[in-house]
Amino acid sequence: MADPKTLQYTAEHEWVLVDGAVATVGITAYAAEKLGDIVFVDLPKAGSSVAEGKVVGEIESTKSVSELFAPVSGEVVQINEAAAADPALINSDPYGEGWLFRVAVSDEGPLLSAEEYAAANNAEL
């Protein structure tokens, strides 16, 4: 499980963990809580290119459908098949088993620190 205090964030409620040239992406606990029970996730395909700030998928809950944005640009190198098969993982462990996809980063977008994200959303991480 990633430590939420050491991650970077987007204003659209994605978290990013950069390890070398690869970024792991997920949604925040705050977003998962606001969405409610997640029942379906549409992730970008491995091998596809994503561009920072662009829509790359959807997350569907019992309440609504939300777009998933790429926090970085690059090539998707892996998707979390377990979360795709069991989207409840995103609710139960958003910073661990509920991660969404990994990208070989070519460019990072404007990312927020944990403190900036928490302050912007009046939320705890």
Side-chain angles (χ1 to χ4, degrees):
M1 178 171 173
D3 179 357
K5 292 184 171 79
T6 63
L7 300 173
Q8 293 178 292
Y9 297 87
T10 69
E12 291 80 24
H13 311 290
E14 286 90 18
W15 60 261
V16 182
L17 173 63
V18 178
D19 183 11
V22 176
T24 300
V25 179
I27 66 166
T28 66
Y30 174 82
E33 180 182 322
K34 292 294 181 195
L35 282 168
D37 294 333
I38 297 170
V39 296
F40 177 76
V41 62
D42 177 33
L43 299 173
K45 304 279 184 261
S48 65
S49 293
V50 295
E52 176 270 317
K54 302 295 183 192
V55 175
V56 296
E58 289 182 340
I59 298 177
E60 184 178 329
S61 72
T62 54
K63 292 181 183 178
S64 67
V65 175
S66 295
E67 293 178 324
L68 180 62
F69 296 88
V72 297
S73 296
E75 180 182 331
V76 177
V77 294
Q78 183 180 10
I79 65 164
N80 185 347
E81 298 284 356
D86 182 11
L89 285 174
I90 301 165
N91 289 110
S92 64
D93 192 9
Y95 299 110
E97 295 297 316
W99 65 274
L100 300 177
F101 60 96
R102 293 192 169 115
V103 177
V105 179
S106 61
D107 189 35
E108 288 186 21
L111 299 172
L112 305 171
S113 70
E115 295 79 19
E116 291 167 330
Y117 177 80
N121 294 287
N122 294 319
E124 290 187 24
L125 298 172

